[in-house]
Amino acid sequence: MVKKSINLALQGGGSHGAFTWGVLDYLMEDGRVSVEGISGTSAGAMNAAVLAQGYMEGGADGARESLETFWRHVSHMGRFSPIKRSPLSILTGRWDLDDSPAYVMLDLFSRVASPYDTNPLNINPLRELVESTIDFEKVRACSVLKLFVAATNVHTGKIKVFEREELTADMVLASACLPSYFQAVEIDGVPYWDGGYVGNPPMYPLFHTTQSKDILIVQINPIERNETPKTAQEIQNRVNEISFNSSLLRELRGIDFVTRQLRENKLDRSRYSEILVHRIEATEQINPLSASSKVNSEWKFLTHLRDIGRESARAFLDEHYDSLGKESTLDLRREFS
C-alpha cells in the first residue's frame, strides 16, 4: 500500500487534547500516511511539539513514545492538584469536575478577578510541564516536519504564527495562555494569549509551505450542539466553543470559495491550488463531556480519550484512505451553511 503524505491541523482543548494524542498515536503506528506539516494551537501545539521531538529521536516509534511520556507527566502533575472529581462524579462514572469545590472556586475567581491580582507571581504549572518534557533544540532540528504554532497578539488582536525553526517554550505557552487563568506570555516585549481566539488551528500556513494538499483537521471543539445551554457554565462554555471555532469556519469558507473558483476556471491554477480537507472527530463521545472535564488530568480519563482518538483515526483511514490525494471528505458547504 502506498504511503500518502498529509498535513495535520490540531485544535486545542485542555485535557481533551488526549484525544488528539490517540489520533497521532494511531497514525504513527498504522503507517499508511506520512505527516509533512502540522499546525497546532494550545494543546494541539503541545502535541505537535512533542511529536516533532519524538520523531527527531526515533521516527514514528519515537513520536509515539514521546507523546505517551508527555501525557503521563500531565497526569502526574494532576495528582497534586486540589481540583479533582467529587466522590459523586466517580460513583456515577462522570468525568466532569462540576461538583468539585476547588474547581467551582477557581471558575468563580476566574470570572471576577484578574490573574494579575490572584497570581501576582505569575506561577504557571504548564511552564514546568512544557520545559521538563520538551527538548526544543530537538524540535527546532526536526527538519522532516513543518511546524506552525498559533498565538493571539493581545495588542493588535491578530494571529501570530511561530514556525518550528524558532520555536521556544514561551511560544507554546503563549499558544495555550487562557487570559482568565494566566498572565499574558510576553515574547520580545509583545504579550500573547491563547491562539484559539484567532486560529484554532490556522490552516493557511500549510497551503504554500508543503507539497501535500491534504489537510486533516483533528477537531476537539464541537461546531454544532443540539441543546440550548441554560446554566451559567453551559452558556460560557458554548460562547467559548463558538468563539474558538469561528476562525476555523472562516478558513473553511475561504477554501470552499477558492475550490469553486478553480473548478469554474476563474482562477489561475499556477497561483492557486485546490486544498483537500478532511476531519477526525468523535462527536458522540466528546460532545457530552462538560467543559470542566478539560481540567481533568486523571490517567484513566486521558487514556480513555486516547483510545477514542485511536479508534476514530482507524475508522477514518479505513473509510477514507483511498480519497486522500484525490478529493475532500469533509463537506465544506454543510459546515457553514
Side-chain angles (χ1 to χ4, degrees):
M1 184 173 290
V2 178
K3 181 176 286 192
K4 296 186 177 182
S5 177
I6 63 170
N7 296 312
L8 297 174
L10 311 180
Q11 279 198 329
S15 294
H16 291 187
F19 169 78
T20 302
W21 163 31
V23 171
L24 298 176
D25 185 66
Y26 186 85
L27 294 180
M28 293 294 105
E29 177 187 70
D30 181 82
R32 276 180 279 180
V33 297
S34 62
V35 178
E36 184 180 1
I38 308 177
S39 173
T41 297
S42 195
M46 294 182 187
N47 274 319
V50 170
L51 183 145
Q53 169 190 251
Y55 205 91
M56 186 64 185
E57 292 174 338
D61 289 338
R64 296 182 65 204
E65 182 178 347
S66 186
L67 283 162
E68 179 168 352
T69 298
F70 173 79
W71 284 100
R72 280 193 180 276
H73 274 79
V74 171
S75 177
H76 291 163
M77 289 185 64
R79 291 180 187 175
F80 306 103
S81 172
I83 304 175
K84 299 182 183 298
R85 282 194 296 165
S86 69
L88 178 61
S89 292
I90 295 173
L91 283 172
T92 56
R94 289 167 29 218
W95 295 112
D96 66 74
L97 304 175
D98 294 344
D99 297 328
S100 165
Y103 175 79
V104 172
M105 183 175 295
L106 174 66
D107 185 61
L108 177 62
F109 271 110
S110 71
R111 298 175 193 275
V112 299
S114 160
Y116 292 88
D117 298 324
T118 59
N119 185 14
L121 298 179
N122 196 20
I123 298 172
N124 187 344
L126 289 179
R127 179 173 293 280
E128 179 185 349
L129 171 68
V130 169
E131 292 181 345
S132 65
T133 56
I134 305 177
D135 184 336
F136 282 91
E137 287 190 8
K138 291 181 179 177
V139 174
R140 291 189 292 269
C142 187
S143 59
V144 296
L145 285 175
K146 303 265 191 329
L147 181 58
F148 306 94
V149 168
T152 302
N153 184 316
V154 178
H155 289 167
T156 66
K158 297 178 181 179
I159 190 171
K160 172 65 177 179
V161 175
F162 301 104
E163 299 187 24
R164 190 206 73 242
E165 295 86 349
E166 62 179 337
L167 204 62
T168 64
D170 278 345
M171 294 171 184
V172 171
L173 290 168
S175 182
C177 180
L178 289 172
S180 56
Y181 294 107
F182 305 115
Q183 295 183 24
V185 177
E186 289 200 3
I187 300 172
D188 296 329
V190 179
Y192 292 97
W193 283 341
D194 195 296
Y197 296 109
V198 288
N200 192 28
M203 291 183 287
Y204 72 87
L206 301 167
F207 294 168
H208 303 295
T209 59
T210 62
Q211 294 297 313
S212 175
K213 297 307 175 185
D214 289 270
I215 297 181
L216 174 57
I217 302 168
V218 182
Q219 188 159 340
I220 295 175
N221 300 295
I223 291 178
E224 296 183 7
R225 283 194 182 274
N226 296 324
E227 67 278 1
T228 302
K230 295 180 180 178
T231 69
Q233 282 188 334
E234 289 173 347
I235 292 170
Q236 187 61 46
N237 179 44
R238 187 56 183 150
V239 168
N240 288 337
E241 287 176 344
I242 292 171
S243 173
F244 274 34
N245 278 326
S246 62
S247 58
L248 175 63
L249 289 174
R250 283 195 299 272
E251 283 204 87
L252 292 177
R253 185 177 288 110
I255 291 172
D256 177 67
F257 175 77
V258 170
T259 298
R260 287 187 287 112
Q261 294 295 300
L262 284 170
R263 291 176 178 176
E264 295 172 7
N265 296 317
K266 294 180 179 180
L267 288 177
D268 184 353
R269 286 188 174 270
S270 66
R271 297 183 60 190
Y272 298 91
S273 58
E274 187 170 343
I275 302 298
L276 308 179
V277 185
H278 318 275
R279 178 171 65 194
I280 292 178
E281 59 178 349
T283 303
E284 292 184 5
Q285 297 97 326
I286 301 294
N287 282 20
L289 295 174
S290 166
S292 66
S293 66
K294 292 180 179 181
V295 189
N296 185 345
S297 58
E298 295 175 54
W299 183 244
K300 187 176 180 180
F301 180 52
L302 299 180
T303 54
H304 170 68
L305 291 172
R306 177 204 62 192
D307 292 345
I308 295 173
R310 282 181 55 83
E311 175 57 26
S312 299
R314 184 202 62 76
F316 171 83
L317 283 181
D318 287 351
E319 182 176 358
H320 297 301
Y321 173 81
D322 290 340
S323 297
L324 295 177
K326 299 177 182 178
E327 61 184 0
S328 292
T329 58
L330 179 62
D331 186 348
L332 297 182
R333 302 308 301 277
R334 181 184 179 279
E335 291 302 306
F336 49 79
S337 63

